[in-house]
Amino acid sequence: MNILEQIAERTKERIQKKKMIFSLAEQRKAAEENSRLAPSFAEALRQSELSFICEVKKASPSKGVIAEEFPYLDIAAEYEQAGAAAISCLTEPYWFQGRDRYLREIASQVGIPVLRKDFTVDEYMIYEAKEMGAAAVLLICGILDDGQLKAYGQLTQELGMAALVEAHSEREVERALRAKAQVIGVNNRDLRTFQVDVGNSIRLRKMVPKEIPFVSESGIRTSQDMRVLYENGTDAVLIGETLMRAPDKKAMLRELRGKIG
């Protein structure tokens, strides 16, 4: 079992435990009672320039702990002040040391969309995301079948959110398109081996119609990476570790933007 499968299985166990405490019906009701309309995630990525989805992340499976000190609200505020189009917040607790409360508090503080970055394996997690104030959830083709991709995508829309549908191969992009994904992301990191290739986004960009926002995820470290992706028609980049390790995140964002356009 590869790491992606391990995380998915552990997430299923985690959600089953949650359901024993707070049922699916109760979680659905809590989501529906949250009348706050989150900013549109898809629209935030439809800018003339390259959009930045900046990640609030304490740890990762490949790097371990990235940020010993983790003032997540300050980090989110700094991202917004620096011009981020959206924020990605990890809520997976075991490999990424995420917490639900990080997302809930960040979403209540910032005025830009917040993506719940987790390994969605159950509709329960989508209702949770809505109740927490998320504008979008992550749907990973590698752990969901076609029926789940379609059903979960429809549910996010019914709840007034968006789904970032993540692919890593030609076949997965095709599956995302069949599921009528609103936003498609290509992960440059193979979550089965952790190998990173930014060229993966460049190769797969041509498969996605221009009217669907296209996001390049992972392994993006330099302004040159940004320029190549931008010139290839990428709408947005999701950046985590590079920003989390930067002492001055505003300065790092300025540097990454430096050679675009």
Side-chain angles (χ1 to χ4, degrees), residues 161-172:
M161 298 187 295
L164 170 58
V165 180
E166 179 180 294
H168 182 71
S169 65
E170 287 83 354
R171 179 176 175 275
E172 290 183 349

Side-chain angles (χ1 to χ4, degrees), residues 179-197:
K180 301 188 183 303
Q182 291 178 295
V183 182
I184 291 179
V186 165
N187 198 335
N188 299 312
R189 176 176 287 110
D190 186 336
L191 293 177
R192 289 164 280 266
T193 65
F194 290 124
Q195 291 183 329
V196 177
D197 178 12

Side-chain angles (χ1 to χ4, degrees), residues 40-53:
S40 170
F41 181 73
E43 287 305 313
L45 308 184
R46 298 181 192 277
Q47 302 179 18
S48 57
E49 297 180 349
L50 192 66
S51 298
F52 286 74
I53 305 169

Side-chain angles (χ1 to χ4, degrees), residues 6 69 104 112 144 165 251:
Q6 290 178 47
E69 293 186 13
R104 184 175 282 107
I112 56 178
L144 299 173
V165 180

